[in-house]
């Protein structure tokens, strides 16, 4: 086989002059100060929310609430404003040339563009460079120049190499040298030196230029102003020569010294300066200098020569321009200072200045000089802010792989800015952008960077980007695969305050609600909705559940339960609680007796009716409880229910369903004012109380013992539709416990009925259809097998509302649900007298919608809409016989609430699993909108399940 | 990209050198492989060509030696220490990777993003 080794790129030949695109353009400075403003607002939480809302429906697979959000504001840019003055002045002409040089390079790189590939190895020839740089830094005592600086060089060097085929490497060496140089110096002086192609070492002393940089004291400033700030010079080709008279310009940089650089060093540099005079540089950059023996490379090479020549026009032309951008702002400052120089004036008037266009900005991302890269990325972030068109253009122009490539850049300002740009690009409804990031391995790159960096801001940007990405379904698993454990270890656990092995002496720590934590929990919240496999991965992720619970406990302790992080955590918990009883390893051990047994005991219990029905499981459960109690009285047993003693503390996913969590959720339900949090906490209880296994039985009893029922009932008055819905369904699940059912029937019926729309107005609160259906289903469940509860329904004047709904609701689903309730009521013969006294007759209870039922009399819960029967039958066949109580109405309904519906569908896919979910009522919790509905959220679950059945392809760890 | 078994192939590959990590008695690489000529290639979620019976990286331990070395989920392993991996059984591949006396494995891998990058640069 023939392999092209190691990322080969198109050959250097591609150099062709992209630069000609902008032959005559000159630079224009962009006012960074303004720009920075907008950065501040970028993706501020408020905007996000709206979008988030729009996106939510999509994401709502199962009970999940997915929100796409961006993290808060990128702040780095703020400092820009401050720094302007200094920057500006420094920018003088000298710079110009360098800029051009730079430009040239850029041009050449353009074709090579997409070396956005991660992972270049560090074996660059830059070593010596690095050394000298370091030394220099030391000398100047510049603190903020970190060792990274040196590595940066290396990196850029590498990039450069990467882009060129090895065979041509030699030719490019000299350039590379520069590049490195450019990098070092955010300062112009060094840049110009670079232009000279002098041997690097010679410049070491020149580092004294550094001090000039002094003005860049703040790293962030520097970021923004970097070389970009420099090129004020409008580029007519030769003009530069004139301009760059050292006398004029040099003083200025030094004028900047107020930036606290030590003069001594500067002076040194000063002396050296003449060497670097623009004129010289000019020449050296020019053809004549080619033959010089710097490093003995390349220029002798004819090809290179050509290229150089070719480049020259561009120097003055196109590419220089974009670089110059930031200057305008700086000029302004100069004006203020009254220091404006004639040259600047002319620059300003020069009509040739302009903003760089998008291709130029993207080209600059590959610029060999780091600050150019970072400025380009920052500018890109700015451009992309709330501008979907630009985001798309960036994608089409292949800018995304380059940005992703920059994530591995060792220099903080470069990867920070790249990350900021990616965050903005990843935000929004256009999922193509997200896919593009994923396709160039952006997700592992982000995760890698997260592991590497300690910079809070970068971490915020990374996790914000991941949050955005996580809102798109197909990327969720990718994020889990690459980043779950890292996100947990790097963010969730440390910020949650949880410690796997707490020290005796250390106090338990509280959670810190940092932005990073918020973003990360938001991301996990989104990915936790991706079906059974995703849930399994999250549950089994070391420390995740423990840490989330710890965080929530601490939130409750501090009464700080309204924030977004808490919301995210609760949502994750809720999602992970979904189907625990089926999906958790060893769950079968805890399964309770199911259908067959249920049925057999059904008769012996309360009513003459066989109430094993679709919720017959409850009987089984109760029975289970009774075992070992040797005591026939159900209710009393429940109240004295002893939870099993654990031999060791629960940990990991076991914590999800330990009865202890009930208290936590109830506290949140009591404390929180955040509707999403309330909904999620109720949803968690709802998920936990569903199902047939031992733990759900405990949960149901524990909710009662912790006095949770009143808390829930009170929330039925909530103004939030979805809270009402979740609580209502939770109550329905809880009422599988007989004692709960009695209590709920007595105390909650009034609230439930109040939530139903009355004839006049749609509803006091104008609840959504889903909510109304949920409430109706809950009422149905509560009155099933309990004539007492049916009686209290009558007493709360519920019949009138029910009849109104069943006769006149616009919604077929509401109509159906209401008529089922009515049928159930009518089935209690002992109540009919009372009903007739109130003026009701049989026709009111024979639903309009259930037309064909005429023949099926009173007992006629079998009188359901025929169309629904087949599905019901199927499910019944699999389960047990006595499912007359089933409520078939929901099977195709969008509201995933009904048990039956859910089970039913599942069963179609999961042939192997018919372990009586008889009594499971797991609501899929969608915050539905219509869209949701059409989207068949359930399908994905089913598919996942289906996949689980298939033999997995062989997969070996090595 | 599709491959004809036995025919030369042009692919953009990356060299990846993984230093195994000692875990107890075992040396681990920290990734898992799927595929092989004895496996059902249609089940491979990573291959573009669903008849490709090559060996693919299916999972990578976060922070493990493979990830550190730059291996990524979905990479197709072309060679292991010079041995061809495009026409081997799953087990052969596994054995080749887990030789106890080798502390280092050198892989040649290819992935779509590499291919694309090259294409792009050729086109532009």
């Amino acid at each position: 086989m023939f392999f092209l080794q190691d990322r080969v790129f198109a050959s250097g030949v591609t150099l062709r002059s992209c630069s000609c695109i902008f032959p005559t353009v000159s630079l224009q400075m962009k006012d960074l100060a303004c720009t920075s403003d907008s950065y501040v607002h970028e993706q501020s939480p408020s905007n996000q929310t709206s979008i988030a809302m729009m996106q939510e429906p999509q994401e709502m697979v199962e009970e999940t609430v997915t929100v796409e959000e961006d993290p808060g504001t990128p702040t780095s840019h703020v400092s820009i404003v401050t720094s302007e003055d200094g920057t500006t002045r420094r920018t003088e002409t000298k710079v110009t040339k360098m800029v051009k040089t730079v430009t040239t390079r850029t041009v050449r790189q353009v074709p090579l563009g997409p070396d956005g590939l991660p992972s270049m190895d560090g074996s660059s020839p830059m070593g010596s460079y690095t050394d000298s740089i370091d030394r220099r830094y030391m000398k100047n005592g510049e603190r903020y120049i970190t060792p990274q600086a040196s590595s940066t060089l290396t990196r850029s060097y590498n990039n450069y190499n990467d882009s060129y085929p090895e065979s041509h490497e030699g030719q490019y060496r000299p350039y590379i040298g520069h590049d490195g140089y450019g990098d070092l110096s955010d300062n112009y002086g060094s840049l110009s030196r670079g232009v000279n192609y002098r041997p690097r070492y010679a410049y070491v002393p020149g580092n004294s230029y550094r001090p000039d940089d002094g003005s860049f004291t703040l790293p962030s400033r520097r970021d923004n102003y970097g070389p970009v700030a420099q090129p004020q010079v409008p580029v007519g080709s030769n003009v530069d020569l004139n301009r760059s008279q050292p006398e004029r310009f040099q003083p200025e940089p030094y004028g900047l010294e107020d930036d606290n650089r030590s003069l001594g060093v500067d002076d040194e540099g000063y002396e050296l300066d003449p060497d670097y005079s623009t004129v010289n540089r000019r020449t050296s950059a020019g053809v004549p200098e080619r033959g010089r023996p710097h490093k003995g490379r390349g220029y002798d090479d004819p090809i290179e020569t050509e290229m150089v020549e070719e480049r020259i026009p561009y120097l003055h032309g196109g590419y220089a321009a974009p670089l110059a951008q930031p200057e305008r702002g700086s000029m302004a400052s100069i004006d203020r200072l009254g220091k404006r120089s004639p040259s600047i004036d002319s620059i300003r008037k020069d009509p040739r200045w302009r903003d760089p266009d998008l291709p130029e900005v993207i080209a600059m991302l590959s610029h060999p000089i780091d600050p150019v890269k970072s400025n380009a990325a920052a500018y890109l972030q700015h451009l992309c802010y709330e501008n979907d068109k630009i985001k798309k253009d960036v994608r089409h122009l292949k800018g995304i792989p380059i940005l992703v490539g920059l994530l591995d850049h060792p220099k903080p300002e470069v990867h920070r800015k790249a990350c900021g740009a990616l965050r903005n690009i990843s935000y929004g409804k256009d999922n193509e952008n997200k896919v593009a990031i994923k396709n160039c391995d952006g997700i592992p790159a982000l995760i890698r960077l997260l592991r590497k960096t300690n910079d809070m801001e970068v971490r915020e940007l990374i996790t914000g980007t991941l949050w955005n990405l996580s809102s798109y379904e197909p990327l969720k698993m990718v994020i889990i695969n690459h980043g779950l454990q890292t996100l947990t270890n790097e963010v969730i656990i440390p910020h949650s305050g949880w410690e796997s092995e707490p020290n005796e002496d250390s106090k338990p720590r509280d959670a810190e609600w940092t932005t990073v934590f918020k973003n990360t929990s938001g991301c996990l919240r989104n990915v936790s909705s991706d079906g059974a496999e995703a849930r399994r991965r999250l549950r089994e992720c070391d420390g995740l559940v423990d840490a989330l619970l710890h965080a929530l406990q601490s939130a409750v302790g501090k009464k700080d339960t309204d924030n977004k992080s808490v919301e995210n955590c609760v949502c994750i918990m809720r999602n992970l609680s979904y189907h625990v009883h089926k999906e958790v390893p060893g769950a079968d051990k805890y399964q309770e007796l199911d259908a067959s047994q249920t049925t057999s005991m059904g008769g012996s219990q309360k009513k003459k009716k066989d109430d094993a029905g679709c919720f017959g499981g409850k009987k089984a459960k109760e029975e289970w409880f009774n075992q070992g109690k040797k005591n026939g009285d159900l209710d009393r047993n429940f109240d004295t229910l002893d939870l099993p003693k654990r031999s060791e503390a629960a940990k990991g996913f076991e914590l999800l369903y330990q009865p202890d969590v009930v208290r936590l959720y109830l506290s949140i339900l009591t404390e929180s004012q955040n509707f999403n949090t309330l909904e999620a906490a109720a949803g968690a209880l709802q998920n936990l109380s569903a199902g047939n296994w031992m733990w759900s039985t405990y949960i149901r009893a524990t909710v009662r013992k912790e006095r949770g029922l009143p808390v829930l009932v009170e929330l039925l008055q909530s103004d939030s539709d979805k809270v009402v819905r979740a609580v209502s369904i939770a109550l329905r699940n809880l009422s599988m416990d007989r004692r709960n059912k009695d209590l709920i029937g007595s105390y909650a019926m009034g609230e439930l009925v109040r939530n139903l729309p009355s004839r006049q107005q749609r509803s006091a609160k104008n609840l959504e259809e889903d909510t109304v259906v949920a409430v109706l289903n809950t009422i149905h469940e509560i009155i099933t097998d309990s004539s007492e509860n049916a009686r209290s329904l009558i007493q709360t004047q519920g019949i009138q509302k029910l009849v109104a709904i069943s006769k006149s609701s616009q919604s077929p689903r509401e109509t159906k649900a209401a008529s089922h309730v009515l049928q159930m009521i009518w089935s209690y013969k002992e109540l009919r007298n009372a009903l007739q006294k109130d003026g009701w007759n049989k026709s009111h209870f024979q639903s309009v919608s259930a037309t064909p039922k005429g023949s099926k009399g009173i007992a006629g819960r079998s009188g359901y809409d025929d169309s629904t029967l087949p599905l019901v039958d199927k499910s019944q066949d699999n389960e047990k016989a006595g499912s007359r109580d089933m409520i078939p109405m929901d099977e195709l309904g969008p509201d995933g609430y009904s048990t039956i519906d859910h089970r039913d569908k599942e069963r179609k896919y999961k042939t192997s699993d018919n372990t009586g979910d008889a009594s499971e009522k797991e609501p899929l919790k969608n915050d539905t909108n219509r869209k949701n509905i059409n989207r068949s959220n359930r399908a994905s679950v089913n598919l996942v399940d289906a996949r689980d059945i298939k033999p997995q392809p062989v997969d070996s760890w090595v | 990209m599709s491959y004809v078994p036995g025919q030369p192939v042009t692919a953009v590959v990356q060299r990846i050198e993984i230093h195994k990590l000692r875990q107890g008695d075992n040396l681990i690489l920290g990734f898992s492989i799927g595929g092989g000529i004895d496996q059902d290639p249609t089940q491979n979620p990573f291959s573009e060509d669903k008849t490709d019976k090559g060996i693919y990286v299916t999972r990578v331990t976060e922070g493990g030696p493979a990830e550190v070395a730059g291996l990524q989920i979905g990479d197709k392993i072309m060679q292991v220490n010079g041995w061809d991996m495009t026409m081997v059984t799953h087990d052969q591949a596994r054995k080749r990777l887990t030789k106890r006396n080798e502390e280092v494995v050198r892989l040649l891998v290819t992935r779509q993003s590499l291919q694309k990058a090259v294409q792009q640069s050729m086109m532009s």
Side-chain angles (χ1 to χ4, degrees):
Chain A
M1 298 197 178
F2 164 61
F3 294 102
L4 302 179
Q5 301 292 327
D6 288 340
R7 249 184 277 156
V8 180
F9 283 84
S11 64
V13 183
T14 39
L15 293 188
R16 88 252 345 207
S17 39
C18 305
S19 47
C20 39
I21 305 169
F22 320 104
T24 56
V25 187
S26 354
L27 325 179
Q28 190 198 356
M29 320 299 353
K30 174 101 191 200
D31 184 344
L32 273 191
C34 302
T35 317
S36 67
D37 272 350
S38 45
Y39 284 145
V40 175
H41 301 298
E42 284 255 7
Q43 310 284 10
S44 74
S46 52
N47 343 340
Q48 300 153 7
T49 322
S50 55
I51 294 192
M53 288 318 173
M54 296 182 333
Q55 296 217 346
E56 258 180 46
Q58 275 187 355
E59 311 297 345
M60 315 241 37
V61 181
E62 298 150 23
E63 66 278 73
T64 312
V65 183
T66 313
V67 181
E68 175 194 4
E69 283 197 37
D70 267 350
T73 324
T75 49
S76 56
H77 311 267
V78 181
S79 49
I80 297 170
V81 183
T82 343
S83 56
E84 263 190 1
D85 287 3
T87 314
T88 311
R89 292 179 227 144
R90 204 188 298 119
T91 315
E92 297 313 311
T93 315
K94 265 191 241 165
V95 176
T96 310
K97 252 138 237 166
M98 300 134 46
V99 172
K100 284 173 206 156
T101 313
V102 172
T103 310
T104 311
R105 274 180 235 128
T106 310
V107 174
R108 292 169 59 222
Q109 271 194 338
V110 178
L112 313 169
D115 70 338
L117 291 176
S119 80
M120 11 228 124
D121 41 10
S123 60
S124 87
M126 286 295 279
S128 53
Y129 242 142
T130 311
D131 286 347
S132 56
I133 294 161
D134 283 344
R135 250 177 280 133
R136 176 171 107 189
Y137 290 145
M138 304 288 270
K139 186 161 104 193
N140 291 341
E142 284 197 16
R143 273 203 219 106
Y144 73 93
I145 299 184
T146 59
Q148 290 157 339
S150 47
S151 44
T152 311
L153 290 178
T154 314
R155 174 48 60 104
S156 67
Y157 201 54
N158 288 338
N159 286 342
Y160 208 63
N161 281 343
D162 273 345
S163 358
Y164 290 87
E166 287 173 39
S167 56
H168 294 273
E169 211 178 50
Q171 309 166 2
Y172 294 96
R173 275 294 159 74
Y175 280 121
I176 292 164
H178 289 300
D179 296 342
Y181 225 76
D183 282 345
L184 307 182
S185 55
D186 301 315
N187 84 36
Y188 314 118
S190 47
L191 286 178
S192 36
R193 271 172 252 134
V195 182
N196 286 328
Y197 299 118
R198 298 173 150 237
R200 310 155 179 164
Y201 311 99
Y203 298 121
V204 175
N207 299 333
S208 40
Y209 266 138
R210 256 313 145 122
D212 308 352
D213 284 343
S215 48
F216 292 105
T217 315
L218 298 178
S220 50
R221 267 194 214 166
R222 205 181 163 214
D223 294 348
N224 296 292
Y225 276 79
V228 179
Q230 312 154 1
Q232 289 178 343
V233 185
V235 196
S237 29
N238 309 321
V239 183
D240 309 315
L241 294 179
N242 306 333
R243 285 241 194 78
S244 44
Q245 297 154 5
E247 303 79 23
R248 203 210 286 154
F249 296 104
Q250 285 176 0
E252 292 194 2
Y254 296 105
L256 296 179
E257 280 163 7
D258 48 1
D259 277 342
N260 311 324
R261 296 297 138 172
S262 77
L263 293 179
V265 183
D266 289 347
D267 291 344
E268 199 187 338
Y270 219 153
E271 289 166 350
L272 294 174
D273 219 19
D275 289 340
Y276 304 116
S277 82
T278 325
V279 178
N280 289 343
R281 265 177 264 133
R282 196 66 219 129
T283 339
S284 55
V287 181
E289 287 287 336
R290 243 185 278 142
R292 267 189 177 189
H294 351 265
K295 296 180 76 188
R297 291 237 190 93
Y299 277 106
D300 303 306
D301 183 313
I303 295 176
E304 176 60 11
T305 309
E306 280 172 22
M307 289 189 307
V308 170
E309 282 163 353
E310 193 181 345
R311 222 178 294 134
I312 291 174
Y314 309 125
L315 292 184
H316 315 296
Y319 272 78
L323 295 177
Q325 280 230 345
E327 270 299 328
R328 201 204 274 147
S330 19
M331 289 192 291
S333 54
I334 292 177
D335 290 347
R336 256 179 272 129
L337 299 172
K339 282 192 181 181
R340 88 165 60 152
S341 68
S343 65
I344 289 172
D345 268 346
S346 60
I347 290 163
R348 219 194 196 169
K349 286 174 199 147
D350 191 328
R352 289 174 297 177
W353 297 115
R354 64 163 182 79
D355 286 341
D357 62 19
L358 200 54
E360 291 169 302
V361 177
I362 289 171
M364 285 190 286
L365 290 174
S366 306
H367 198 279
I369 295 183
D370 289 339
V372 177
K373 286 185 183 118
S374 69
N375 281 314
Y379 186 48
L380 209 50
Q381 175 181 14
H382 168 63
L383 291 175
C384 287
Y385 174 58
E386 289 201 328
N387 189 332
D388 289 341
K389 165 103 177 25
I390 299 265
K391 292 178 193 176
K392 195 167 132 209
D393 292 345
V394 171
R395 185 177 80 235
H396 288 318
L397 292 167
K398 311 268 189 283
I400 291 178
I402 305 175
L403 285 169
V404 167
L406 293 180
L407 292 177
D408 284 318
H409 199 288
K411 213 163 194 173
E413 55 267 35
V414 176
H415 62 236
R416 182 192 302 132
K417 296 289 157 42
C419 216
L422 284 172
R423 191 192 59 180
N424 280 1
I425 289 171
S426 65
Y427 178 72
K429 283 172 293 179
D430 189 352
N431 290 325
E432 292 294 306
N433 294 329
K434 302 181 174 107
V435 171
I437 293 175
K438 175 236 160 193
N439 281 347
C440 54
D441 299 315
I443 293 173
L446 286 164
I447 298 290
R448 260 198 311 279
L449 182 55
L450 179 65
R451 270 202 297 268
K452 262 188 311 210
T453 184
N454 284 318
D455 179 336
M456 260 308 157
E457 187 197 328
V458 175
R459 292 180 145 228
E460 284 174 12
L461 291 169
I462 295 170
T463 52
T465 309
L466 288 169
W467 191 358
N468 288 344
L469 294 175
S470 70
S471 70
Y472 184 47
E473 218 69 38
L475 303 189
K476 293 181 176 178
M477 216 54 209
V478 183
I479 293 174
I480 291 176
N481 283 334
H482 287 103
L484 175 58
Q485 195 68 54
T486 301
L487 289 170
T488 304
N489 293 344
E490 293 285 332
V491 181
I492 298 289
I493 293 178
H495 292 254
S496 73
W498 176 76
E499 294 163 32
S500 58
E501 288 153 359
N503 277 331
E504 299 294 313
D505 42 336
S506 67
K507 288 191 272 201
R509 291 187 301 130
D510 278 331
E512 309 155 12
W513 308 124
T514 56
T515 305
V516 176
F517 185 82
K518 181 183 73 183
N519 294 345
T520 307
S521 57
C523 173
L524 294 180
R525 169 181 173 181
N526 282 348
V527 301
S528 68
S529 70
D530 198 36
E533 173 67 7
R535 289 192 294 271
R536 186 183 66 75
R537 296 286 296 276
L538 263 70
R539 286 185 195 120
E540 293 174 7
C541 177
D542 271 350
L544 177 61
V545 173
D546 315 61
L548 290 174
L549 273 175
H550 183 93
L552 287 176
Q553 299 281 11
S554 114
V556 167
K558 288 187 297 185
K559 305 231 186 266
D560 182 12
T561 51
D562 295 340
N563 66 52
K564 187 77 184 174
S565 297
V566 170
E567 177 187 323
N568 289 336
C569 292
V570 181
C571 284
I572 299 170
M573 292 296 290
R574 176 198 47 202
N575 287 350
L576 298 187
S577 301
Y578 179 77
H579 274 186
V580 266
H581 58 99
K582 287 185 197 164
E583 293 173 356
V584 147
D588 350 339
K589 281 187 304 207
Y590 299 109
Q591 293 303 326
E592 309 211 316
L593 315 174
D594 66 358
S596 56
Q597 182 160 355
T598 307
T599 324
S600 70
M601 9 180 128
S604 67
Q605 305 270 327
K606 255 191 132 141
K607 284 188 144 220
K608 65 279 156 186
K609 247 186 251 164
D610 173 10
D611 52 359
C614 84
F615 311 124
K618 65 183 163 257
K619 288 291 156 70
K621 245 150 278 159
E622 293 174 3
E623 200 55 33
W624 189 91
F625 266 95
N626 290 331
Q627 290 167 0
K629 293 282 178 182
K630 322 257 192 248
N631 179 332
D633 185 350
L634 284 181
D635 293 351
R636 238 190 320 152
N637 280 334
F638 270 100
D639 282 343
T640 59
L641 171 69
D642 283 325
L643 299 174
K645 298 276 184 287
R646 300 190 61 94
S647 49
E648 56 192 44
K651 62 175 171 16
F653 62 78
E654 295 171 333
L655 292 166
L656 287 170
Y657 47 83
Q658 297 304 308
D660 313 350
V661 298
V662 168
R663 185 173 301 173
L664 174 65
Y665 291 133
L666 290 176
S667 305
I668 292 169
L669 287 170
T670 312
E671 299 284 335
S672 182
Q673 304 293 319
N674 177 330
F675 289 145
N676 292 325
T677 304
L678 290 173
E679 183 212 3
L685 286 178
Q686 159 200 325
N687 286 335
L688 292 172
S689 57
N692 256 344
W693 70 340
M694 181 181 94
W695 295 107
S696 58
T697 312
Y698 291 144
I699 296 285
R700 288 190 286 263
T702 307
V703 171
R704 181 179 64 252
K705 294 204 302 180
E706 293 286 343
R707 302 193 195 337
L709 294 176
V711 174
L712 289 166
V713 172
E714 192 181 331
L715 285 171
L716 285 174
Q717 299 170 19
S718 167
D719 291 330
S720 162
D721 205 83
K722 56 194 178 184
V723 173
V724 172
R725 186 160 57 223
V727 167
S728 162
I729 302 162
L731 287 171
R732 179 175 164 186
N733 286 347
L734 288 166
S735 68
M736 280 191 279
D737 175 304
R738 183 75 220 183
R739 183 99 175 90
N740 283 349
K741 177 181 280 190
D742 293 343
L743 290 167
I744 293 168
S746 313
Y747 298 108
M749 191 62 84
E751 287 303 334
L752 287 167
V753 169
R754 234 185 304 275
N755 277 305
L756 294 176
S758 64
R759 199 184 309 246
Q760 290 77 15
Q761 69 233 86
R762 173 99 180 78
S763 145
K765 292 190 230 163
N766 206 9
L767 296 177
E768 285 173 17
E769 177 190 46
D770 283 326
T771 310
V772 174
V773 172
V775 170
L776 289 168
N777 287 348
T778 304
I779 293 177
H780 184 278
E781 169 62 17
I782 295 170
I783 64 172
T784 300
D785 298 333
S786 169
S787 64
E788 277 313 300
N789 289 347
R791 196 181 299 278
S792 62
L793 173 60
I794 295 169
Q795 285 158 2
T796 54
Q797 313 301 317
I799 305 296
Q800 192 178 353
K801 282 186 172 179
L802 288 165
V803 171
I805 295 169
S806 81
K807 300 285 187 231
S808 58
S809 168
Q810 299 300 308
S811 151
R813 293 171 53 231
E814 291 178 8
T815 307
K816 249 197 220 172
S819 59
H820 287 306
V821 175
L822 290 169
Q823 286 169 12
M824 174 65 77
I825 296 170
W826 193 249
S827 72
Y828 293 105
K829 295 202 178 73
E830 64 270 33
L831 300 179
R832 285 185 199 165
N833 269 340
L835 288 170
Q836 280 160 348
K837 256 184 241 162
D838 288 346
W840 306 108
N841 61 48
K842 180 176 170 183
S843 68
H844 291 111
F845 298 90
Q846 302 300 333
S847 143
V848 187
S849 62
T851 26
K853 83 295 152 159
S855 59
K856 335 240 172 129
I858 294 155
R861 267 159 287 138
S862 48
Y864 299 134
D865 193 338
D866 282 348
S867 63
T868 65
L869 286 177
L871 286 168
V872 175
D873 286 344
K874 255 188 229 158
S875 66
Q876 287 172 343
D877 290 345
N878 279 343
E879 311 258 337
K880 55 201 145 216
S883 36
R884 282 193 294 163
D885 287 343
M886 274 198 177
I887 312 169
M889 49 200 157
D890 293 331
E891 68 282 40
L892 294 176
D895 65 332
Y897 299 39
S898 112
T899 321
I900 299 158
D901 153 50
H902 186 69
R903 270 183 288 149
D904 206 13
K905 286 206 177 166
E906 293 256 295
R907 208 167 297 116
K908 282 187 227 154
Y909 295 91
K910 301 174 76 175
T911 48
S912 61
D913 175 2
N914 54 0
T915 51
D917 300 303
S919 39
E920 162 182 337
K921 315 175 181 186
E922 258 173 58
L924 295 181
K925 154 160 299 211
N926 27 19
D927 276 5
T928 30
N929 315 347
R930 259 47 191 81
K931 290 175 212 149
N932 233 356
I933 294 165
N934 298 334
R935 204 173 147 257
S936 78
N937 6 1
R938 231 87 39 60
S940 65
V941 179
N942 292 332
L943 289 176
V944 171
D945 288 340
R947 221 183 293 140
D948 290 343
I949 303 170
K950 274 194 234 153
Q952 291 284 327
V954 181
D955 187 61
S956 323
W957 282 100
V958 290
Chain B
M1 49 184 173
S2 61
Y3 305 96
V4 181
Q7 293 302 306
V9 159
T10 305
V12 189
V13 297
Q14 182 176 4
R15 277 188 208 139
I16 289 187
E17 183 172 299
I18 306 177
H19 296 261
K20 294 183 183 179
L21 183 70
R22 186 167 291 284
Q23 256 189 6
D25 288 341
N26 300 320
L27 285 172
I28 61 150
L29 289 157
F31 68 97
S32 74
I33 53 167
I37 54 177
D38 55 338
Q39 302 291 317
D40 175 7
T42 62
Q43 296 222 39
N44 180 345
F46 302 108
S47 58
E48 221 170 334
D49 170 6
K50 288 304 172 197
T51 62
D52 182 358
K53 298 184 174 183
I55 300 295
Y56 281 76
V57 176
T58 56
R59 286 181 282 177
V60 177
T61 308
E62 284 175 44
E67 200 200 24
V68 169
L71 198 67
Q72 299 181 7
I73 291 180
D75 285 356
K76 176 176 180 176
I77 302 181
M78 309 295 283
Q79 294 185 2
V80 174
N81 289 341
W83 296 88
D84 174 57
M85 285 292 126
T86 60
M87 286 215 314
V88 293
T89 64
H90 185 84
D91 220 41
Q92 284 167 336
R94 190 180 52 76
K95 285 180 178 149
R96 190 55 74 191
L97 286 161
T98 55
K99 294 230 171 288
R100 301 184 66 86
N101 56 353
E102 293 172 350
E103 302 256 334
V104 175
V105 295
R106 289 181 185 83
L107 306 181
L108 285 187
V109 305
T110 183
R111 71 178 68 109
Q112 285 171 28
S113 55
L114 285 175
Q115 300 281 2
K116 284 190 192 126
V118 171
Q119 280 165 8
Q120 277 170 9
S121 60
M122 302 255 207
M123 287 182 306
S124 59

